[in-house]
Amino acid sequence: MKNERPKVIPTVYLVLVKENKILLSRRYNTGFQDGQYSFPAGHLGGDEETVSQAMIREAREEIGVEIDVADLELVHVMHRKQMEPTNERRVNLFFMAKKWRGEPRIMEPDKCDDLQWFEMDRLPDDTIPYVRQAIGCLRKNVKYSEYGF
């Protein structure tokens, strides 16, 4: 039996900060962490899409803002083991947008039922635990963390 290399799924997360508050969206009807707050996020759209292109696309699709690639900064990387329901390994890439065009709004009401700015030290109780960890790392300028191992 050959040793197979692990498959790792890259996931992008958008960090927007305004007046010392962070933007979080509440997942709804997705089948994963519904009712929990997270950053606007998503996966690569295909073999040819880069992670920065995916982040720009997800920002437009999920919250209706336009971001230039030059305004994205990779601020945190998390290697995460997702046990339920799929037992996957992921690399979460958290990008902060230094600026954006448009006012964030819910663009996919079938997947998100709330979008709010929260003080970083007063996150809602129902924030996804690994997102809470990432926010703590962001506040301390920690560039890498692991979750679920």
Side-chain angles (χ1 to χ4, degrees), residues 115-131:
L115 184 67
Q116 288 189 54
W117 296 95
F118 293 95
E119 293 181 26
M120 285 194 235
D121 60 351
R122 291 183 160 179
L123 299 175
D125 290 339
D126 49 356
T127 300
I128 295 174
Y130 68 84
V131 171

Side-chain angles (χ1 to χ4, degrees), residues 7-59:
K7 291 178 176 67
V8 178
I9 299 169
T11 310
V12 294
Y13 293 79
L14 180 62
V15 180
L16 295 184
V17 178
K18 181 173 82 172
E19 299 170 1
N20 205 32
K21 292 184 178 180
I22 200 160
L23 185 70
L24 297 177
S25 59
R26 186 169 55 203
R27 300 180 60 82
Y28 169 74
N29 200 34
T30 67
F32 177 74
Q33 300 290 338
D34 290 332
Q36 302 280 306
Y37 282 93
S38 181
F39 292 110
H43 304 96
L44 274 66
D47 290 339
E48 300 300 317
E49 188 174 56
T50 68
V51 292
S52 58
Q53 289 168 337
M55 187 74 277
I56 289 167
R57 177 183 50 77
E58 291 289 351

Side-chain angles (χ1 to χ4, degrees), residues 28-115:
Y28 169 74
N29 200 34
T30 67
F32 177 74
Q33 300 290 338
D34 290 332
Q36 302 280 306
Y37 282 93
S38 181
F39 292 110
H43 304 96
L44 274 66
D47 290 339
E48 300 300 317
E49 188 174 56
T50 68
V51 292
S52 58
Q53 289 168 337
M55 187 74 277
I56 289 167
R57 177 183 50 77
E58 291 289 351
R60 184 181 326 105
E61 289 177 358
E62 290 194 15
I63 60 171
V65 299
E66 296 293 331
I67 300 170
D68 294 329
V69 69
D71 294 321
L72 284 176
E73 178 184 357
L74 182 63
V75 293
H76 188 70
V77 175
M78 177 185 289
H79 187 201
R80 178 169 63 91
K81 185 176 182 182
Q82 180 67 47
M83 292 304 291
E84 297 294 329
T86 57
N87 195 25
E88 298 170 329
R89 304 262 195 286
R90 294 181 178 258
V91 172
N92 297 343
L93 304 162
F94 295 84
F95 286 92
M96 184 175 291
K98 299 171 199 161
K99 60 183 178 179
W100 62 90
R101 293 178 303 285
E103 190 61 34
R105 63 195 184 281
I106 297 172
M107 298 294 291
E108 298 177 320
D110 56 324
K111 297 179 183 177
C112 171
D113 67 355
D114 190 31
L115 184 67

